[in-house]
Amino acid sequence: MTAPRLSPSGLPIEVAYHPPADAQDVAARVGEPGQFPFTRGVQATMYRGRLWTMRQYAGFGTAEATNARFKLLLEKGQTGLSTAFDLPTQMGLDSDDPRALGEVGRVGVAIDTVDDMHALLADLPLEKVSTSMTINATASTLLAMYIVVAEERGIARSALSGTVQNDLLKEYISRGTYIYPAAPSLALIAEMFRFCAAEVPQWNPISISGYHMREAGATAVQELAFTLANTLAYVRAALDAGLTIGQFAPRLSFFFACHNDLFEEVAKFRAARRMYATMLRERFHADDASCRLRFHTQTGGVTLQAQQPLNNVVRVTVQALAAVLGGTQSLHTNGYDEALALPTAEAATLALRTQQIVGYESGAADTVDPLAGSWYVESLTDELERRARAVIEEIDAIGGAVAAVEAGWFQDAIAKSAYEEQLRIEAGERVIVGVNKFADGSEPPIIPTPDFSELEKGQRARVQGARAARDAARCSAALAAVHEAAPDYLPAHTGARRELMPRIIDAVRARATVGEISNALETVWGRYRPVG
């Protein structure tokens, strides 16, 4: 008797799969490519029309160093930019803030003023290339900086394309780079939906992210359910702000992880599209344009191992293939050395080449949804959807995603899943090649790192020089305007809200810093305090 086997999410896997009794019903649920419920993809021809955007993540201390990496990757064939910011920038702290000490430029690029953003984007064709920015609590300010850079270079807002992550709920759940409480944060996100729809129509004002919850230990089922539960909260916040579903839903975007179980990951992406389309149709009467789930994928950071790091090349390849077979619109492939340090130019180039080989040599892009009709994949898709729907119903019963965050429900669920997975790894039930099986005792290589202390010293001088050189009266007036509009975004406010994004853009033009704009809001909104 063969022992039962489970997927990483705990789905039972049969020894072999056979045609389902309701084969015709399965075909109806799956549908056609480019048609509701979009199980098979959001475009009728998918990669036959155009390959996914190849978007390698980069952020290295200074704006100039990151700009150099962007240019290298574009030269190697990358088709979109993706920016990592350092923790002070993410947390609304200037580089010379005492709380930023030791963190400036360490996990991404330091951006204090729009002049830093100019240096980051120097000589890049902003009207031709899309830019993704992994930024959340300060997303409004960084988007404003991007717009002002384009404006000062003579590029129209309407020509800009890209994405800000701007997903605060997952920050409370799993990542931690939050500043403000949930209510004003969601109100600001709704304001960004309004602004982008009116002023930057090719920009995605949010990337609703399962990735970081998965990295924290969520299963594929939880990643799917938690992401869509958070989506419902953002949709309701926008509707409460007076927007219609058609104004903002077509520009909602998503961000998923891709781990090592190829078939479960493919099924997850297919289930995500079908669940999203059905939810928006059933709950909000959305049309087809609003029901298309478009998503970026990043290969799994937590699946990378410091031991035998070249094995990560194979892991990333499997994950990239799963993302493509699952119909991603955009993809980042991790460098094999990222478990050790920021990726070297060699590792980043190889990661990009991995995408290019999958796209141009593997045949995976030659037909839409190649695994459709596989008895195994269709069964996994159905089971993932069934289990994720049950989790969403549980979240609904709590009162929705915001209430679940405030109760610590998501955090507890992820901690439990992560603990159980670690027990499986330590028991050898989950094999990790080179770690708990086939280990050789070799030491991980040492990757050189920048001199962060010198980098921090230079960035502190830079922001101080920017403050000294600007028109102080103009900057103070612009910051005061941001502060004056902030109370409109608190729950106690009734009636129309003063538009905040134009005021933030004015502050950026006046060379206000990220920290100053964040402080203008925080003094009104306060700070989020986690449960427990």
Side-chain angles (χ1 to χ4, degrees):
M1 183 72 178
T2 304
R5 183 165 294 181
L6 300 176
S7 79
S9 289
L11 279 61
I13 301 172
E14 304 294 336
V15 174
Y17 284 77
H18 303 90
D22 62 342
Q24 289 186 334
D25 290 340
V26 170
R29 286 199 301 277
V30 170
E32 292 295 324
Q35 295 181 21
F36 186 91
F38 306 106
T39 313
R40 301 199 63 195
V42 293
Q43 291 109 15
T45 59
M46 286 300 289
Y47 307 131
R48 288 286 284 271
R50 179 172 75 85
L51 290 182
W52 61 93
T53 301
M54 298 182 188
R55 191 188 300 281
Q56 291 302 112
Y57 198 36
F60 296 88
T62 66
E64 290 82 1
T66 304
N67 178 263
R69 177 59 64 89
F70 282 159
K71 289 174 179 174
L72 171 70
L73 290 168
L74 289 171
E75 179 186 316
K76 301 291 185 183
Q78 176 174 290
T79 54
L81 304 177
S82 185
T83 312
F85 297 94
D86 71 355
L87 284 176
T89 304
Q90 294 182 54
M91 299 293 292
L93 303 175
D94 291 332
S95 294
D96 61 346
D97 189 303
R99 293 169 292 176
L101 187 64
E103 292 293 345
V104 175
R106 284 188 177 268
V107 297
V109 61
I111 299 291
D112 290 303
T113 71
V114 71
D115 294 318
D116 291 332
M117 187 67 84
H118 268 292
L120 177 71
L121 302 172
D123 305 317
L124 299 175
L126 303 186
E127 70 278 22
K128 296 178 181 178
V129 65
S130 70
T131 302
S132 173
M133 296 193 285
T134 302
I135 198 73
N136 294 280
T138 55
S140 56
T141 302
L142 273 294
L143 175 57
M145 288 182 172
Y146 196 92
I147 289 169
V148 171
V149 167
E151 174 186 287
E152 293 179 350
R153 287 170 50 179
I155 301 169
R157 295 176 183 181
S158 59
L160 302 177
S161 62
T163 304
V164 279
Q165 193 164 98
N166 201 23
D167 177 2
L168 263 297
L169 290 176
K170 68 93 174 56
E171 294 297 317
Y172 304 135
I173 293 167
S174 61
R175 192 162 175 270
T177 64
Y178 46 74
I179 303 173
Y180 321 113
S185 292
L186 264 66
L188 177 58
I189 289 167
E191 160 67 355
M192 292 178 69
F193 287 1
R194 178 207 63 76
F195 173 79
C196 288
E199 301 283 341
V200 202
Q202 297 186 78
W203 199 273
N204 301 320
I206 194 168
S207 177
I208 307 167
S209 305
Y211 183 87
H212 306 90
M213 295 183 285
R214 187 69 180 280
E215 291 285 286
T219 66
V221 169
Q222 289 172 327
E223 180 189 7
L224 184 55
F226 295 174
T227 304
L228 294 179
N230 288 348
T231 302
L232 293 174
Y234 293 126
V235 169
R236 292 189 184 107
L239 295 175
D240 289 346
L243 301 178
T244 65
I245 194 80
Q247 279 181 280
F248 65 89
R251 297 308 303 182
L252 299 182
S253 64
F254 293 80
F255 175 21
F256 290 110
C258 196
H259 283 199
N260 288 329
D261 191 297
L262 185 144
F263 296 105
E264 181 172 84
E265 294 300 309
V266 171
K268 179 188 74 181
F269 299 134
R270 300 173 85 247
R273 281 192 294 268
R274 186 162 70 202
M275 288 180 68
Y276 176 73
T278 305
M279 279 172 34
L280 260 67
R281 177 69 55 85
E282 291 174 349
R283 298 190 187 213
F284 305 107
H285 310 293
D287 61 12
D288 282 4
S290 298
C291 289
R292 287 182 169 89
L293 184 147
R294 300 170 299 113
F295 67 98
H296 170 73
T297 308
Q298 181 171 338
T299 57
V302 296
T303 68
L304 302 175
Q305 305 300 325
Q307 300 92 329
Q308 302 178 24
L310 285 176
N311 294 345
N312 294 327
V313 176
V314 184
R315 294 184 178 101
V316 168
T317 303
V318 171
Q319 294 165 13
L321 180 61
V324 171
L325 293 172
T328 193
Q329 277 62 65
S330 172
L331 179 60
H332 163 85
T333 34
N334 290 328
Y336 67 85
D337 55 2
E338 287 190 51
L340 302 166
L342 291 171
T344 60
E346 175 192 43
T349 301
L350 180 58
L352 176 60
R353 294 287 182 256
T354 301
Q355 293 198 49
Q356 291 165 338
I357 290 168
V358 171
Y360 292 102
E361 296 187 27
S362 74
D366 287 346
T367 190
V368 179
D369 193 21
L371 295 182
S374 156
W375 301 327
Y376 179 36
V377 170
E378 296 297 355
S379 174
L380 281 176
T381 302
D382 290 346
E383 185 63 12
L384 278 163
E385 180 174 3
R386 185 186 70 79
R387 294 190 181 208
R389 280 186 175 275
V391 175
I392 291 173
E393 288 172 4
E394 192 174 350
I395 295 167
D396 283 343
I398 296 168
V402 175
V405 166
E406 291 173 345
W409 185 90
F410 287 109
Q411 299 91 317
D412 289 346
I414 291 173
K416 182 173 184 290
S417 295
Y419 176 69
E420 291 172 349
E421 176 68 1
Q422 187 60 35
L423 291 180
R424 285 188 286 270
I425 292 169
E426 291 179 7
E429 297 170 14
R430 181 85 68 233
V431 172
I432 301 178
V433 172
V435 178
N436 65 358
K437 196 166 187 176
F438 312 114
D440 60 12
S442 60
E443 290 294 319
I446 296 173
I447 307 293
T449 58
D451 184 343
F452 287 111
S453 61
E454 280 301 306
L455 184 155
E456 181 169 325
K457 182 180 177 182
Q459 189 65 25
R460 288 167 66 90
R462 187 168 176 162
V463 67
Q464 289 164 4
R467 289 198 200 97
R470 70 194 181 189
D471 182 331
R474 179 188 176 199
C475 185
S476 294
L479 288 168
V482 172
H483 185 268
E484 288 165 5
D488 294 6
Y489 293 77
L490 292 170
H493 178 77
T494 58
R497 293 171 179 154
R498 284 169 285 187
E499 294 177 357
L500 198 47
M501 276 303 297
R503 294 169 182 245
I504 293 172
I505 290 171
D506 284 344
V508 165
R509 282 196 198 102
R511 272 43 190 180
T513 67
V514 169
E516 290 166 340
I517 295 170
S518 296
N519 189 61
L521 298 173
E522 185 184 338
T523 52
V524 178
W525 293 349
R527 292 190 73 86
Y528 174 74
R529 302 297 178 191
V531 176

